[in-house]
Amino acid sequence: MFLDCSRLIAGNRPRLSNGIAVADLDGDGVFELVVAGFATNNLVLKWRDGALVDIAGPELADPTGHAVGIAAADIDGDGREELYILNSDVASGPKEMGDRLFAGFGAHWIDLLAQAQNAGAVNRIAGHSVAVLDRMGEGRYGFVVATDGAPLRLLELNRKGRLVDMAEEAELDLMAAGRGLLCLPLLSERMDLFVCVEEGPNALFRNLGDGTFEDVAEERGIADSRFDGRAAVALDADGRFDLLVAHRDGPQRLYTQRTSGAFEDIAGPDLSMPARVATVIAADFDNDGHEELFFNIEGGPNRLFGWRNDEWQEIDIGDALEPKASGTGAAVADIDCDGRLELVIGHGGAHGGGAPGTGAPLSLYRPLPNDNGWIRVLPLTRFGAPARGAVVTCTAGGRTQRRVVCAGSGYLCQMEPVAHFGLGPVHEVERLEVRWPDGMSAVIDRPPAGRVVTVPYPPE
């Protein structure tokens, strides 16, 4: 499946890397890869002249940080995404180093959490993941932080422009060792929240539509307290989203959502095989019209599954096997705008303050070329920022696919805010439908294939 193209990363030296996010930080309409560094510089990698080059200024590089998780979203409604960097210099409990929340002002970045008015919002507890959540469907996001030793946090801007933790008011203040976070319209029309938990049951918070949530994991059959949850990703399943939930050492779960709303594990013996999973990704790398499932494994060979003969089968991963690498984070994006998704893997970091690995250069992989069709859809909020959490439905060749625009995170990471559809041998699209987290929708008939289709929020 994959060819090693790591040589295209300029100055790619060994380093301790953790989470990876994809966002347009410089506002030019092209996405960058943001790589969290543990006791080393954070990177902002931009595709220029056939290579990925680091454009991070001193603020974003933050070389003294111990960055673990990373996510971007528009928190203030200015049409530009802010960047949350979760620092953890210890494994659990109180930590010395606070998190960063960078807001861009022209070419300069300001850490909102370093301002005196936001001192009470600084996270001083070790964390393991960060994702974004638009709980009211207004186009303004909050950052959800999974901590270890304190309740879940939900950081939002209030009407006075101050950062406040709204988790208790939203009834999201779960006290658990949270790991992977997944935010999407899974049970309701608005954004729900799934939390992978270590040493305890997972949580599934259903959005009640009034800004509050209720945990329905137990009644929906997805709590699964027997194994340590690590990462999760949603994938298309004929009108409803399934959940792939990975574990640190236990079996992997593939939960299909029944019409009753209950979840049932349907993972076969190969897919469920235990492994030390760092993160998981669902993406159509070969543009055949079916997502592949990528498992990034710590200290062992990575795994790739494809939908073949009406079942999930392990397929040849090619150069991305990495049999002895210490994977800590991975993300996908079409970094060179050719309609194919690249895979980027970081190595050797410390998961939330644990013992660091030896470090290694970043890995960049491209899928083998083919002639399959594709279309990419970028929904925007009413403010013009990427509409993370929006659901896009694509009908082509008489077949319908669904994607959710990534809000983060498989674990530590956040994919590009684009719904990518492979079309197989088809090169025409019959219909696109975009549904925003507030329930607003738009339909585009006969959109052009082979390009990015930007869909603005519908006018009032």
Side-chain angles (χ1 to χ4, degrees):
M1 174 69 76
F2 292 108
L3 296 174
D4 187 357
C5 297
S6 304
R7 67 186 185 282
L8 300 178
I9 305 175
N12 189 23
R13 294 179 291 273
R15 52 177 279 120
L16 300 176
S17 300
N18 278 307
I20 303 172
V22 185
D24 177 14
L25 295 188
D26 58 6
D28 68 348
V30 180
F31 297 110
E32 293 85 46
L33 294 159
V34 190
V35 184
F38 190 86
T40 188
N41 288 15
N42 301 316
L43 304 177
V44 179
L45 299 177
K46 189 173 189 66
W47 185 253
R48 282 182 177 169
D49 300 323
L52 282 170
V53 297
D54 182 21
I55 63 167
E59 301 95 346
L60 296 182
D62 193 19
T64 62
H66 288 70
V68 178
I70 192 163
D74 183 8
I75 194 174
D76 55 7
D78 67 350
R80 184 175 181 179
E81 292 195 314
E82 282 69 48
L83 183 70
Y84 194 104
I85 297 177
L86 174 62
N87 285 307
S88 284
D89 47 21
V90 294
S92 63
K95 63 181 183 180
E96 293 291 330
M97 183 170 295
D99 300 340
R100 311 279 192 252
L101 177 51
F102 289 107
F105 296 88
H108 300 285
W109 293 85
I110 294 177
D111 179 8
L112 299 181
L113 288 170
Q115 296 182 325
Q117 66 182 29
N118 296 323
V122 176
N123 174 36
R124 295 294 182 184
I125 302 295
H128 292 266
S129 265
V130 56
V132 302
L133 177 67
D134 180 5
R135 62 186 174 112
M136 301 297 293
E138 297 176 341
R140 290 184 176 91
Y141 294 81
F143 288 95
V144 184
V145 181
T147 60
D148 196 334
L152 206 70
R153 294 171 60 85
L154 174 60
L155 210 60
E156 297 179 347
L157 276 180
N158 66 14
R159 293 182 179 180
K160 295 181 179 180
R162 294 184 177 180
L163 292 167
V164 291
D165 182 5
M166 300 298 292
E168 183 176 1
E169 179 176 312
E171 299 184 36
L172 288 175
D173 53 337
L174 173 72
M175 186 71 175
R179 296 299 184 262
L181 302 170
L182 192 62
C183 303
L184 76 158
L186 181 64
L187 304 176
S188 69
E189 292 186 352
R190 298 187 186 273
M191 293 184 75
D192 308 306
L193 172 65
F194 178 75
V195 184
C196 288
V197 175
E198 192 170 275
E199 298 180 353
N202 299 323
L204 176 55
F205 290 100
R206 184 169 69 93
N207 193 322
L208 298 180
D210 59 359
T212 65
F213 296 76
E214 65 173 351
D215 185 1
V216 296
E218 188 68 37
E219 67 183 70
R220 298 297 179 99
I222 203 169
D224 193 14
S225 59
R226 290 173 291 175
F227 302 100
D228 292 340
R230 171 63 50 156
V233 68
L235 58 148
D236 178 34
D238 298 328
R240 291 179 298 273
F241 286 111
D242 288 349
L243 287 184
L244 175 63
V245 181
H247 297 87
R248 176 74 168 173
D249 292 301
Q252 320 314 328
R253 309 289 198 195
L254 179 57
Y255 289 105
T256 188
Q257 189 175 177
R258 302 302 186 188
T259 55
S260 64
F263 289 87
E264 179 183 351
D265 180 18
I266 60 169
D270 291 337
L271 186 65
S272 66
M273 183 181 298
R276 294 177 66 85
V277 177
T279 197
V280 290
I281 292 172
D284 190 353
F285 291 105
D286 57 6
N287 285 341
D288 68 345
H290 297 278
E291 293 172 289
E292 284 77 51
L293 305 179
F294 171 74
F295 290 83
N296 185 26
I297 309 297
E298 294 181 54
N302 296 323
R303 308 184 72 196
L304 185 69
F305 287 81
W307 185 251
R308 305 289 188 269
N309 301 318
D310 294 325
E311 65 177 1
W312 291 106
Q313 296 180 3
E314 189 162 10
I315 59 177
D316 184 9
I317 198 171
D319 292 344
L321 184 68
E322 298 192 345
K324 296 182 180 180
S326 179
T328 49
V332 294
D334 181 10
I335 60 173
D336 54 1
C337 303
D338 67 348
R340 291 184 295 153
L341 294 173
E342 282 76 37
L343 171 67
V344 181
I345 304 177
H347 310 91
H351 284 288
T358 57
L362 295 168
S363 297
L364 172 64
Y365 299 102
R366 282 175 164 166
L368 295 168
N370 59 47
D371 295 324
N372 288 335
W374 56 273
I375 190 170
R376 292 164 54 76
V377 185
L378 172 59
L380 302 178
T381 68
R382 67 185 69 197
F383 306 110
R388 296 185 184 270
V391 175
V392 183
T393 304
C394 173
T395 301
R399 181 168 175 266
T400 297
Q401 304 179 59
R402 289 206 315 162
R403 303 284 187 270
V404 61
V405 179
C406 183
S409 65
Y411 178 60
L412 309 177
C413 301
Q414 186 187 52
M415 310 302 126
E416 60 177 355
V418 177
H420 177 96
F421 296 93
L423 304 177
V426 177
H427 290 267
E428 294 183 352
V429 176
E430 298 149 27
R431 187 174 187 267
L432 288 175
E433 180 180 1
V434 178
R435 189 173 188 87
W436 281 264
D438 64 350
M440 187 69 75
S441 63
V443 174
I444 303 96
D445 290 319
R446 299 291 176 183
R451 65 184 63 183
V452 178
V453 177
T454 300
V455 185
Y457 186 84
E460 298 294 338

Coordinates of all heavy atoms in Angstrom, one line a residue, residues 204-275:
L204 N -19.8 7.5 27.0 CA -20.4 8.0 25.7 C -21.4 9.0 26.1 O -22.5 8.7 26.6 CB -21.0 6.8 24.9 CG -21.8 7.2 23.7 CD1 -20.9 8.0 22.7 CD2 -22.3 6.0 23.0
F205 N -21.1 10.3 25.9 CA -21.9 11.4 26.3 C -22.8 11.8 25.1 O -22.3 12.3 24.1 CB -21.1 12.6 26.7 CG -20.4 12.4 28.0 CD1 -19.1 12.0 28.1 CD2 -21.1 12.5 29.2 CE1 -18.4 11.8 29.3 CE2 -20.5 12.3 30.5 CZ -19.1 11.9 30.5
R206 N -24.1 11.7 25.2 CA -25.1 12.1 24.2 C -25.5 13.6 24.5 O -25.8 14.0 25.6 CB -26.3 11.2 24.3 CG -27.4 11.6 23.2 CD -28.4 10.5 23.1 NE -29.3 10.5 24.3 CZ -30.4 11.2 24.4 NH1 -30.9 12.0 23.4 NH2 -31.2 11.2 25.5
N207 N -25.4 14.3 23.4 CA -25.7 15.8 23.4 C -27.3 15.9 23.6 O -28.0 15.4 22.7 CB -25.2 16.5 22.2 CG -25.2 18.0 22.3 OD1 -26.2 18.6 22.8 ND2 -24.2 18.6 21.7
L208 N -27.7 16.6 24.6 CA -29.2 16.7 24.8 C -29.8 17.9 24.1 O -31.0 18.2 24.2 CB -29.4 16.8 26.4 CG -29.0 15.6 27.2 CD1 -29.3 15.8 28.6 CD2 -29.7 14.3 26.7
G209 N -28.9 18.7 23.4 CA -29.4 19.8 22.6 C -29.5 21.1 23.4 O -29.8 22.1 22.8
D210 N -29.3 21.1 24.7 CA -29.4 22.4 25.5 C -28.0 22.7 26.1 O -28.0 23.5 27.0 CB -30.4 22.2 26.6 CG -30.1 21.0 27.5 OD1 -29.1 20.3 27.3 OD2 -30.9 20.8 28.5
G211 N -27.0 22.1 25.5 CA -25.6 22.4 26.1 C -25.2 21.4 27.1 O -24.1 21.6 27.6
T212 N -26.0 20.5 27.5 CA -25.6 19.5 28.5 C -25.6 18.1 27.8 O -26.2 17.9 26.7 CB -26.6 19.5 29.7 OG1 -27.9 19.1 29.2 CG2 -26.7 20.9 30.3
F213 N -25.0 17.1 28.6 CA -24.8 15.8 28.0 C -25.2 14.8 29.1 O -25.3 15.1 30.3 CB -23.4 15.6 27.7 CG -22.9 16.4 26.6 CD1 -22.6 17.8 26.8 CD2 -22.7 15.9 25.3 CE1 -22.1 18.6 25.8 CE2 -22.2 16.8 24.3 CZ -21.9 18.1 24.5
E214 N -25.5 13.5 28.6 CA -25.7 12.4 29.6 C -24.9 11.2 29.1 O -24.8 11.0 27.9 CB -27.2 12.0 29.7 CG -27.8 11.5 28.4 CD -29.2 11.0 28.6 OE1 -29.6 10.9 29.7 OE2 -29.9 10.7 27.6
D215 N -24.3 10.5 30.0 CA -23.5 9.3 29.7 C -24.4 8.1 29.5 O -25.1 7.7 30.4 CB -22.5 9.1 30.9 CG -21.5 8.0 30.5 OD1 -21.6 7.4 29.4 OD2 -20.7 7.7 31.4
V216 N -24.4 7.6 28.3 CA -25.2 6.4 28.0 C -24.4 5.2 27.6 O -24.9 4.3 26.9 CB -26.2 6.8 26.8 CG1 -27.2 7.9 27.3 CG2 -25.5 7.2 25.6
A217 N -23.1 5.2 27.9 CA -22.2 4.1 27.5 C -22.7 2.8 28.0 O -22.7 1.8 27.2 CB -20.8 4.4 27.9
E218 N -23.1 2.7 29.2 CA -23.5 1.4 29.8 C -24.8 0.9 29.1 O -24.8 -0.3 28.7 CB -23.8 1.6 31.3 CG -24.0 0.2 32.0 CD -22.8 -0.7 32.1 OE1 -21.7 -0.1 32.2 OE2 -22.9 -1.9 31.9
E219 N -25.8 1.7 28.9 CA -27.0 1.2 28.3 C -26.9 1.0 26.9 O -27.6 0.1 26.3 CB -28.1 2.3 28.6 CG -27.9 3.6 27.8 CD -29.1 4.6 28.1 OE1 -29.1 5.0 29.3 OE2 -29.9 4.8 27.3
R220 N -25.9 1.6 26.2 CA -25.7 1.3 24.8 C -24.7 0.2 24.5 O -24.4 -0.2 23.4 CB -25.2 2.6 24.1 CG -26.2 3.8 24.1 CD -27.5 3.4 23.4 NE -28.4 4.6 23.5 CZ -28.6 5.4 22.5 NH1 -27.9 5.3 21.4 NH2 -29.5 6.4 22.7
G221 N -24.1 -0.4 25.6 CA -23.2 -1.6 25.5 C -21.8 -1.3 25.0 O -21.2 -2.2 24.4
I222 N -21.3 -0.1 25.3 CA -20.0 0.3 24.8 C -19.1 0.7 25.9 O -17.9 1.2 25.7 CB -20.2 1.4 23.8 CG1 -19.0 1.5 22.8 CG2 -20.4 2.8 24.5 CD1 -19.2 2.4 21.7
A223 N -19.5 0.5 27.2 CA -18.6 0.9 28.4 C -17.3 0.1 28.4 O -16.3 0.6 28.6 CB -19.4 0.7 29.7
D224 N -17.4 -1.3 28.3 CA -16.3 -2.1 28.2 C -15.2 -1.8 29.2 O -14.1 -1.3 28.8 CB -15.7 -2.1 26.8 CG -14.7 -3.2 26.5 OD1 -14.7 -4.1 27.3 OD2 -14.0 -3.1 25.5
S225 N -15.4 -2.1 30.5 CA -14.4 -1.7 31.5 C -13.3 -2.8 31.7 O -12.5 -2.6 32.6 CB -15.1 -1.5 32.8 OG -15.9 -2.7 33.2
R226 N -13.3 -3.8 30.9 CA -12.3 -4.9 31.2 C -10.9 -4.6 30.7 O -10.0 -5.2 31.2 CB -12.8 -6.2 30.5 CG -14.1 -6.8 31.1 CD -14.6 -8.0 30.3 NE -15.2 -7.5 29.0 CZ -15.6 -8.3 28.1 NH1 -15.5 -9.6 28.2 NH2 -16.1 -7.8 27.0
F227 N -10.8 -3.7 29.7 CA -9.5 -3.4 29.2 C -9.3 -1.9 29.1 O -10.2 -1.1 29.1 CB -9.4 -4.0 27.8 CG -9.6 -5.5 27.7 CD1 -10.8 -6.0 27.3 CD2 -8.6 -6.4 28.1 CE1 -11.1 -7.4 27.3 CE2 -8.8 -7.8 28.1 CZ -10.1 -8.3 27.7
D228 N -8.0 -1.5 29.0 CA -7.6 -0.1 29.0 C -7.8 0.5 27.7 O -7.1 0.2 26.7 CB -6.2 0.1 29.5 CG -5.9 -0.3 30.9 OD1 -6.9 -0.3 31.7 OD2 -4.8 -0.6 31.3
G229 N -8.8 1.4 27.5 CA -9.1 2.0 26.3 C -8.0 3.0 25.9 O -7.4 3.7 26.8
R230 N -7.6 3.1 24.6 CA -6.5 3.9 24.2 C -7.0 4.9 23.1 O -6.7 6.1 23.2 CB -5.4 3.0 23.7 CG -4.3 3.8 23.0 CD -3.5 4.7 23.9 NE -3.1 4.1 25.1 CZ -2.1 4.5 25.9 NH1 -1.4 5.5 25.5 NH2 -1.8 3.9 27.0
A231 N -7.6 4.4 22.1 CA -7.9 5.3 20.9 C -9.2 4.9 20.3 O -9.6 3.7 20.4 CB -6.7 5.2 19.9
A232 N -9.8 5.8 19.5 CA -11.1 5.5 18.8 C -11.2 6.3 17.6 O -10.6 7.4 17.5 CB -12.3 5.8 19.8
V233 N -11.9 5.7 16.6 CA -12.2 6.4 15.4 C -13.5 6.0 14.8 O -13.9 4.8 15.1 CB -11.1 6.2 14.3 CG1 -11.1 4.7 13.8 CG2 -11.2 7.1 13.1
A234 N -14.2 6.9 14.2 CA -15.5 6.6 13.6 C -15.3 6.2 12.1 O -14.5 6.8 11.4 CB -16.5 7.7 13.7
L235 N -16.2 5.3 11.6 CA -16.1 4.9 10.2 C -17.5 4.7 9.6 O -18.4 4.4 10.4 CB -15.2 3.7 10.0 CG -15.6 2.4 10.7 CD1 -15.2 1.2 9.8 CD2 -14.9 2.3 12.0
D236 N -17.6 4.9 8.3 CA -18.8 4.8 7.6 C -19.4 3.4 7.7 O -18.7 2.4 7.5 CB -18.6 5.2 6.1 CG -19.9 5.1 5.3 OD1 -21.0 5.4 5.8 OD2 -19.8 4.8 4.1
A237 N -20.7 3.4 8.0 CA -21.4 2.1 8.1 C -22.9 2.2 7.6 O -23.8 1.9 8.4 CB -21.3 1.6 9.5
D238 N -23.0 2.5 6.4 CA -24.4 2.4 5.7 C -25.4 3.2 6.5 O -26.5 2.7 6.9 CB -24.8 1.0 5.6 CG -23.9 0.2 4.7 OD1 -23.3 0.8 3.7 OD2 -23.7 -1.0 4.9
G239 N -25.2 4.5 6.7 CA -26.2 5.4 7.3 C -25.9 5.7 8.8 O -26.5 6.6 9.3
R240 N -25.1 4.9 9.4 CA -24.7 5.2 10.8 C -23.2 5.0 10.9 O -22.6 4.3 10.1 CB -25.5 4.2 11.8 CG -26.9 4.4 11.9 CD -27.6 3.4 12.9 NE -27.4 2.0 12.4 CZ -28.3 1.4 11.5 NH1 -29.3 2.1 11.1 NH2 -28.0 0.2 11.2
F241 N -22.7 5.6 12.0 CA -21.2 5.5 12.2 C -20.9 4.3 13.1 O -21.6 4.2 14.2 CB -20.6 6.8 12.8 CG -20.5 7.9 11.8 CD1 -21.3 9.0 11.8 CD2 -19.6 7.8 10.7 CE1 -21.2 10.0 10.9 CE2 -19.5 8.8 9.8 CZ -20.3 9.9 9.9
D242 N -20.0 3.5 12.8 CA -19.4 2.5 13.7 C -18.2 3.1 14.4 O -17.7 4.1 14.0 CB -19.0 1.2 12.9 CG -20.1 0.4 12.4 OD1 -21.3 0.7 12.8 OD2 -19.9 -0.5 11.5
L243 N -17.8 2.4 15.5 CA -16.7 2.9 16.3 C -15.6 1.8 16.4 O -15.9 0.7 16.8 CB -17.1 3.3 17.7 CG -17.9 4.6 17.9 CD1 -18.1 4.8 19.4 CD2 -17.1 5.8 17.3
L244 N -14.4 2.1 16.0 CA -13.3 1.2 16.2 C -12.6 1.7 17.5 O -12.1 2.9 17.5 CB -12.3 1.3 15.0 CG -11.0 0.5 15.1 CD1 -11.3 -1.0 15.3 CD2 -10.1 0.8 14.0
V245 N -12.5 0.9 18.5 CA -12.0 1.3 19.8 C -10.8 0.4 20.0 O -10.9 -0.9 20.0 CB -13.0 1.1 20.9 CG1 -12.3 1.5 22.2 CG2 -14.2 2.0 20.6
A246 N -9.6 1.0 20.2 CA -8.3 0.2 20.4 C -7.9 0.3 21.8 O -8.2 1.2 22.6 CB -7.2 0.8 19.5
H247 N -7.2 -0.7 22.2 CA -6.7 -0.9 23.6 C -5.2 -1.0 23.7 O -4.6 -1.3 22.7 CB -7.4 -2.1 24.2 CG -8.9 -2.1 24.3 ND1 -9.7 -2.5 23.3 CD2 -9.7 -1.6 25.3 CE1 -10.9 -2.3 23.6 NE2 -11.0 -1.7 24.8
R248 N -4.8 -0.7 24.9 CA -3.3 -0.7 25.1 C -2.8 -2.1 25.0 O -1.7 -2.3 24.4 CB -3.1 -0.1 26.5 CG -1.6 -0.1 27.0 CD -0.8 0.9 26.3 NE 0.5 1.1 27.0 CZ 1.5 1.8 26.5 NH1 1.3 2.5 25.4 NH2 2.6 1.9 27.1
D249 N -3.4 -3.1 25.6 CA -3.0 -4.4 25.6 C -4.1 -5.4 25.3 O -3.8 -6.6 25.0 CB -2.3 -4.8 26.9 CG -1.0 -4.0 27.2 OD1 -0.1 -4.2 26.3 OD2 -0.9 -3.3 28.1
G250 N -5.3 -5.1 25.4 CA -6.4 -6.0 25.2 C -6.9 -6.1 23.7 O -6.2 -5.5 22.8
P251 N -7.9 -6.8 23.5 CA -8.4 -6.9 22.1 C -9.0 -5.6 21.6 O -9.5 -4.8 22.3 CB -9.5 -8.0 22.2 CG -10.0 -7.9 23.6 CD -8.8 -7.5 24.4
Q252 N -8.9 -5.5 20.2 CA -9.5 -4.3 19.6 C -11.0 -4.6 19.4 O -11.4 -5.7 19.1 CB -8.8 -4.0 18.3 CG -7.3 -4.2 18.3 CD -6.6 -3.5 19.5 OE1 -7.0 -2.5 20.0 NE2 -5.5 -4.2 19.9
R253 N -11.8 -3.5 19.4 CA -13.3 -3.7 19.3 C -13.7 -2.9 18.0 O -13.3 -1.8 17.8 CB -14.0 -3.1 20.5 CG -13.5 -3.6 21.8 CD -13.9 -5.0 22.1 NE -13.8 -5.3 23.5 CZ -13.8 -6.6 24.0 NH1 -13.9 -7.6 23.1 NH2 -13.8 -6.8 25.3
L254 N -14.6 -3.5 17.3 CA -15.3 -2.8 16.2 C -16.8 -2.8 16.5 O -17.5 -3.8 16.4 CB -15.0 -3.4 14.9 CG -15.8 -2.8 13.7 CD1 -15.4 -1.3 13.6 CD2 -15.4 -3.5 12.4
Y255 N -17.3 -1.7 17.1 CA -18.7 -1.6 17.5 C -19.6 -1.1 16.4 O -19.4 0.0 15.9 CB -18.8 -0.6 18.7 CG -18.2 -1.1 20.0 CD1 -17.0 -0.6 20.4 CD2 -18.9 -2.1 20.7 CE1 -16.5 -1.1 21.6 CE2 -18.3 -2.6 21.9 CZ -17.1 -2.1 22.4 OH -16.6 -2.5 23.5
T256 N -20.5 -1.9 15.9 CA -21.5 -1.5 15.0 C -22.7 -1.0 15.7 O -23.1 -1.5 16.8 CB -21.9 -2.6 14.0 OG1 -22.7 -2.1 13.0 CG2 -22.6 -3.8 14.7
Q257 N -23.3 0.0 15.2 CA -24.5 0.6 15.8 C -25.8 0.1 15.2 O -26.0 0.3 14.0 CB -24.4 2.2 15.7 CG -25.5 2.9 16.5 CD -25.3 4.4 16.4 OE1 -26.2 5.2 16.9 NE2 -24.3 4.9 15.7
R258 N -26.6 -0.6 16.0 CA -27.8 -1.2 15.5 C -28.9 -0.1 15.5 O -28.8 1.0 16.0 CB -28.2 -2.3 16.5 CG -27.2 -3.4 16.6 CD -26.8 -4.1 15.3 NE -26.0 -5.2 15.4 CZ -25.4 -5.9 14.4 NH1 -25.6 -5.4 13.2 NH2 -24.6 -6.9 14.6
T259 N -30.0 -0.5 14.8 CA -31.1 0.5 14.7 C -31.7 0.8 16.0 O -32.3 1.9 16.2 CB -32.2 -0.1 13.8 OG1 -32.6 -1.4 14.3 CG2 -31.7 -0.3 12.3
S260 N -31.5 0.0 17.0 CA -32.0 0.2 18.4 C -31.2 1.3 19.1 O -31.6 1.8 20.1 CB -32.0 -1.1 19.2 OG -30.7 -1.6 19.3
G261 N -30.0 1.6 18.5 CA -29.1 2.5 19.2 C -28.0 1.8 20.0 O -27.1 2.4 20.5
A262 N -28.1 0.5 20.2 CA -27.1 -0.3 20.9 C -25.9 -0.6 20.0 O -26.1 -0.7 18.8 CB -27.8 -1.6 21.5
F263 N -24.8 -0.8 20.7 CA -23.6 -1.1 20.0 C -23.2 -2.6 20.2 O -23.4 -3.1 21.3 CB -22.4 -0.2 20.4 CG -22.5 1.2 19.9 CD1 -23.2 2.1 20.7 CD2 -21.9 1.6 18.7 CE1 -23.4 3.4 20.2 CE2 -22.0 2.9 18.3 CZ -22.8 3.8 19.1
E264 N -22.7 -3.2 19.2 CA -22.3 -4.7 19.2 C -20.9 -4.8 18.6 O -20.7 -4.3 17.5 CB -23.3 -5.5 18.5 CG -23.0 -7.0 18.5 CD -24.0 -7.8 17.7 OE1 -25.0 -7.3 17.3 OE2 -23.7 -9.0 17.5
D265 N -20.1 -5.5 19.3 CA -18.7 -5.7 18.8 C -18.7 -6.8 17.8 O -19.1 -8.0 18.0 CB -17.8 -6.2 20.0 CG -16.4 -6.4 19.6 OD1 -16.0 -5.9 18.5 OD2 -15.6 -7.1 20.3
I266 N -18.3 -6.5 16.6 CA -18.3 -7.4 15.4 C -16.9 -7.7 14.9 O -16.7 -8.2 13.8 CB -19.2 -6.9 14.3 CG1 -18.7 -5.6 13.8 CG2 -20.6 -6.9 14.8 CD1 -19.4 -5.2 12.5
A267 N -15.8 -7.3 15.7 CA -14.5 -7.5 15.2 C -14.2 -9.0 15.1 O -14.4 -9.8 16.0 CB -13.5 -6.8 16.2
G268 N -13.6 -9.4 14.0 CA -13.2 -10.7 13.8 C -11.9 -11.0 14.5 O -11.2 -10.1 15.0
P269 N -11.4 -12.3 14.4 CA -10.2 -12.6 15.2 C -8.9 -11.9 14.7 O -8.1 -11.5 15.6 CB -10.0 -14.1 15.0 CG -10.9 -14.4 13.8 CD -12.0 -13.4 13.8
D270 N -8.8 -11.6 13.5 CA -7.6 -10.9 13.0 C -7.6 -9.4 13.4 O -6.7 -8.8 13.9 CB -7.5 -11.0 11.5 CG -7.1 -12.4 11.0 OD1 -6.6 -13.2 11.8 OD2 -7.4 -12.7 9.8
L271 N -8.8 -8.8 13.2 CA -8.9 -7.3 13.5 C -8.8 -7.1 15.0 O -8.3 -6.1 15.5 CB -10.3 -6.8 13.0 CG -10.5 -5.3 13.2 CD1 -9.5 -4.5 12.3 CD2 -11.9 -5.0 12.8
S272 N -9.3 -8.0 15.8 CA -9.3 -7.8 17.3 C -8.0 -8.2 18.0 O -7.9 -8.1 19.2 CB -10.5 -8.7 17.9 OG -10.2 -10.1 17.7
M273 N -7.0 -8.7 17.2 CA -5.8 -9.2 17.8 C -5.2 -8.1 18.7 O -5.0 -7.0 18.3 CB -4.8 -9.5 16.7 CG -3.5 -10.1 17.3 SD -2.3 -10.5 15.9 CE -3.3 -11.8 15.1
P274 N -4.8 -8.5 20.0 CA -4.3 -7.5 20.9 C -2.9 -7.0 20.4 O -2.1 -7.7 19.8 CB -4.1 -8.3 22.2 CG -5.1 -9.4 22.1 CD -5.1 -9.8 20.7
A275 N -2.7 -5.7 20.7 CA -1.4 -5.0 20.4 C -1.3 -3.7 21.2 O -2.4 -3.2 21.6 CB -1.3 -4.7 18.9

